[in-house]
Amino acid sequence: MAGLWVLLGTLVVAAAVGLGLRARNGRVRAPRPAETRPLPEAVHEALDPGSAVTLVQISTTFCAPCRHTRVLLSSLAEKTDGLTHVDLDVTDRPEVANALSVLRTPTTLAMSADGRELLRVGGVPRREELLAALRPHLGAPTP
């Protein structure tokens, strides 16, 4: 009988953790406090100086959600003035992910032209939530 209670307790805890992780997936978060670490060169080179916001997608080769994120962000950038999307594959460059404090892929960083992190999204972004968070930084209405 005790084994049944242990099994039941384990299932309840696992379900709670799973629901918590699902709720966090794709949520737009404010940037982390500014650190003294310089921006990695790969990210600095990827920023578009002519764009108000560059969406920097951090991904890896075998990440299935990264493909979905790439399609979503590319489409969003094509339809939105002042928005650019770049995809950085960090499979062979873990130092880039480490410097940006990225622990999972995909992670999307919205960066200003001068390299400031405006917001970040862990997982596949929710399109409407991301657009709403980007509007103040774009300076123009978005579709």
Side-chain angles (χ1 to χ4, degrees):
M1 187 66 166
L4 181 62
W5 287 111
V6 170
L7 176 64
L8 196 58
T10 302
L11 289 174
V12 168
V13 169
V17 169
L19 290 173
L21 290 174
R22 179 186 275 185
R24 292 184 61 195
N25 190 39
R27 188 180 64 181
V28 175
R29 296 182 314 186
R32 296 181 182 210
E35 296 178 6
T36 57
R37 290 193 239 179
L39 197 60
E41 189 63 31
V43 176
H44 185 68
E45 291 173 357
L47 296 179
D48 182 358
S51 211
V53 177
T54 301
L55 297 175
V56 180
Q57 177 185 340
I58 307 298
S59 57
T60 52
T61 303
F62 299 105
C63 167
C66 293
R67 290 183 214 112
H68 180 68
T69 300
R70 185 178 307 114
V71 169
L72 184 138
L73 296 179
S74 294
S75 171
L76 195 61
E78 287 173 8
K79 297 175 184 175
T80 308
D81 291 334
L83 189 62
T84 305
H85 169 248
V86 294
D87 186 6
L88 287 180
D89 187 334
V90 296
T91 303
D92 298 323
R93 299 183 290 176
E95 67 279 358
V96 174
N98 186 37
L100 296 170
S101 301
V102 171
L103 301 176
R104 66 182 285 199
T105 58
T107 293
T108 303
L109 307 173
M111 309 286 286
S112 66
D114 63 358
R116 278 182 309 110
E117 183 178 329
L118 305 172
L119 57 91
R120 81 172 36 207
V121 180
V124 179
R126 299 175 186 139
R127 186 181 189 283
E128 295 306 319
E129 186 178 338
L130 181 59
L131 271 175
L134 288 173
R135 277 190 184 101
H137 304 290
L138 293 172
T142 55

